[in-house]
Amino acid sequence: MTQAPKDIDALIDLMARLPGLGPRSARRAVLHLIKKRGQLLNPLAQALTTVGETARECLNCGNIGTSDICGICESEKRNIGQICVVEDVADLWAMERSGIFKGRYHVLGGTLSALDDIGPDELRIPKLRDRVTTEHVTEVILALGATIDGQTTAHYIADELQGVQVTTLAQGVPVGGELDYLDDGTISAALNARKAL
Amino acid sequence: MTQAPKDIDALIDLMARLPGLGPRSARRAVLHLIKKRGQLLNPLAQALTTVGETARECLNCGNIGTSDICGICESEKRNIGQICVVEDVADLWAMERSGIFKGRYHVLGGTLSALDDIGPDELRIPKLRDRVTTEHVTEVILALGATIDGQTTAHYIADELQGVQVTTLAQGVPVGGELDYLDDGTISAALNARKAL
Ligand SMILES: [Zn+2]
Ligand SMILES: [Zn+2]
């Protein structure tokens, strides 16, 4: 409820559903957008429409791209023997920002969680098993959060994947920390010091 | 820089320019939008487009509406003898949510600020002077922030508007507020304005 005209109220309600924005910051954001119509509101509406039309999940790895197979999976420059397993696309982006990993990814889409009733089939674990075989993978690097669910998932995957080396990022990932919060140096150090699981 | 496809990167850059969102929360928001394409991304793109086309500033008071004169200025139910002066539209909405004010508004669009080089003509002060005369206003209520710039602006307006009663919101302890959370200035103001019980 803002007492604004209903189109603006509807926009505020939608904005308030974004992670990180509450009702008050949504109202501020919408007023800012209206003030910056040419520089911000119109380009944002256009960018959203474009992304809504073009963004899709890579059928191979779960990364977000603009084609059925993402740029990383398609690239001939990427080492096909290594797969880095991450929880979500934000973590993949964080890994890519560090610039040190030259293999491919596999985005689980979450972690195993008894509490939230998320089992292996809710994640992309069966697909990971397939890829290890079909892509002749020699190493699977588990870059999961140092949380209980992240580590449970890591051990589950390590048990599932027989006949391939499974490594995990070195400690250096702070306990309880999420990958997306880490600076590039920490990610690089943890990747370089990875250990067999 | 997210390492995302360029359309998605462009969307993240625009989102990061919203007040209250930084680069990281913009990345999270965009991934959330892509996941909730039908429920959130598409409706948001549509709502932005609509607001971009319809929202306009009231020529009389500076409120945001969908016509040249806003609903409040047009309403015959609003007392035309009283004008409540606010800094921005978010403050107008906050006043309206309280539901107690039945007059009209005047949105300054900021406060006087020597630092930011904002003088009376950058605000809507000349228009306020006109309205006081043409709308036969008997009382101007200054609902400006209890900041230095807000109070400077209040005193400037009070000096400008001769022949009309100028009042200001009382300062004090917010309803439900605990003393321990209040800053010294608020406590001083509340103490100075104390009333017999
Ligand atoms: Zn891919
Ligand atoms: Zn108006």
Side-chain angles (χ1 to χ4, degrees), chain A residues 58 60-61 63 70 73:
Chain A
C58 175
N60 195 45
C61 76
N63 185 17
C70 77
C73 283

Side-chain angles (χ1 to χ4, degrees), chain A residues 125-194:
Chain A
I125 291 178
K127 176 72 185 173
L128 175 61
R129 221 186 285 114
D130 292 349
R131 288 185 66 193
V132 166
T133 310
T134 57
E135 295 183 23
H136 308 291
V137 170
T138 54
E139 181 181 6
V140 171
I141 301 167
L142 302 176
L144 304 177
T147 59
I148 290 174
D149 284 343
Q151 294 310 299
T152 302
T153 308
H155 284 103
Y156 178 87
I157 293 173
D159 285 346
E160 284 289 296
L161 302 181
Q162 299 297 335
V164 63
Q165 188 184 17
V166 178
T167 59
T168 182
L169 295 189
Q171 276 301 339
V173 179
V175 173
E178 290 176 75
L179 230 65
D180 194 26
Y181 279 96
L182 298 181
D183 60 292
D184 299 350
T186 306
I187 290 180
S188 302
L191 186 68
N192 283 331
R194 66 187 183 275

Side-chain angles (χ1 to χ4, degrees), chain B residues 14 18 21-22 29 33 45 67 70 73 77 119 140 142 151 169 179-180 193:
Chain B
L14 288 165
L18 292 176
L21 285 180
L33 282 164
S67 49
C70 76
C73 284
K77 290 183 185 154
V140 172
L142 303 176
Q151 294 311 299
L169 295 189
L179 235 62
D180 196 24

Side-chain angles (χ1 to χ4, degrees), chain B residues 83-88 90-92 94-95 101 104-108 110-111 140-147 150-151 153-154 157 166-170:
Chain B
I83 289 181
C84 177
V85 176
V86 291
E87 290 175 23
D88 60 32
D91 295 335
L92 185 159
M95 289 291 299
F101 179 65
R104 291 181 178 171
Y105 291 93
H106 197 74
V107 180
L108 293 179
T111 50
V140 172
I141 301 167
L142 303 176
L144 303 177
T147 60
Q151 294 311 299
T153 308
I157 292 174
V166 178
T167 59
T168 183
L169 295 189

